[in-house]
Amino acid sequence: MKIRYIIILLACTLCLPVLAQKKDKSTVKEFRLKKQTYMAQKAGLTEEESQKFFPLYFEFQDKKKEINKQAWSIAKKGKAPETTDQEYEEIIDNFFDNQEAIIELEKEYIKKYREILSDKKIYMVYWAEIKFSRNMMKILQEMDDKKK
C-alpha cells in the first residue's frame, strides 16, 4: 500500500515540470500573439503579409535571443571578485562581437522582410515594436508601483 502512494507521489512530482513547461510555452505563445496582433494593426499589415512576415520575425527574435543568452552567460563571469583584467577584456570584446552578430543577423532578415513588405511597412513594424515594448514596460512599472 505504501509503495502505491510512493509511486503516485513520484509520478505526480515528475509531471509537475512538464505541466509548468506547457504553461510557460502557452504564455510565450499568448505574448507573441498579442505582440503580433498589435504590430500588424499598427503597421497596417494585411492578413497575407502577416502570415508570411511573422514566422520570419519570430525566427529572427529566437536567433537574437540565443545570441544574447550566450553573451549574458559570458558577461556573468565578470561578477566574480576574482575576475582578471584579461577576462574583463574578453567579456567586453565578446559583448561587442555579439552586438555585431545581431546587426548582421538583422541585416540578413531585413532582406527577407523586403521580399514580403515594403520599406514603409517594415519601418512601421519596427515603430510598432518599439511602441509595444514601451507599453509593456509601462504596464510592468505600474504593476511594480502597485506592489509598493
Side-chain angles (χ1 to χ4, degrees):
M1 191 71 164
K2 284 185 179 182
I3 291 177
R4 276 190 185 165
Y5 289 122
I6 291 172
I7 291 172
I8 291 171
L9 181 63
L10 183 62
C12 289
T13 305
L14 293 175
C15 290
L16 285 176
V18 173
L19 293 173
Q21 191 176 30
K22 285 182 181 178
K23 183 181 177 191
D24 289 346
K25 286 183 180 180
S26 168
T27 304
V28 169
K29 276 186 172 182
E30 289 172 10
F31 178 80
R32 283 187 168 189
L33 184 59
K34 287 179 183 178
K35 186 174 185 179
Q36 178 178 334
T37 303
Y38 179 88
M39 290 170 60
Q41 179 200 10
K42 293 295 182 184
L45 302 184
T46 66
E47 186 66 33
E48 183 181 342
E49 289 171 330
S50 289
Q51 287 178 350
K52 291 179 181 178
F53 172 76
F54 282 105
L56 275 178
Y57 173 80
F58 289 121
E59 181 181 292
F60 165 71
Q61 294 297 317
D62 291 340
K63 288 181 179 182
K64 183 176 156 184
K65 180 180 178 182
E66 190 57 38
I67 292 170
N68 283 326
K69 183 178 175 182
Q70 292 170 359
W72 279 110
S73 69
I74 293 169
K76 287 179 183 177
K77 295 176 184 177
K79 290 184 174 186
E82 66 275 359
T83 304
T84 65
D85 285 343
Q86 176 66 34
E87 290 170 321
Y88 281 121
E89 181 180 346
E90 290 172 10
I91 291 168
I92 292 168
D93 289 346
N94 180 67
F95 174 79
F96 288 107
D97 290 345
N98 283 309
Q99 294 301 309
E100 287 176 353
I102 289 171
I103 289 170
E104 288 304 312
L105 186 66
E106 196 149 17
K107 286 179 181 179
E108 175 188 329
Y109 275 83
I110 288 291
K111 289 177 186 175
K112 293 177 182 183
Y113 297 163
R114 283 183 169 146
E115 294 173 9
I116 301 166
L117 303 175
S118 68
D119 283 341
K120 179 180 180 178
K121 286 197 175 181
I122 294 170
Y123 170 83
M124 298 302 289
V125 164
Y126 273 88
W127 190 248
E129 180 181 35
I130 291 167
K131 284 181 162 182
F132 182 84
S133 296
R134 286 183 181 166
N135 288 341
M136 291 305 299
M137 291 300 294
K138 185 178 177 180
I139 290 168
L140 291 172
Q141 183 64 44
E142 288 171 359
M143 289 170 57
D144 190 45
D145 289 345
K146 287 181 182 178
K147 286 182 182 178
K148 292 178 182 179

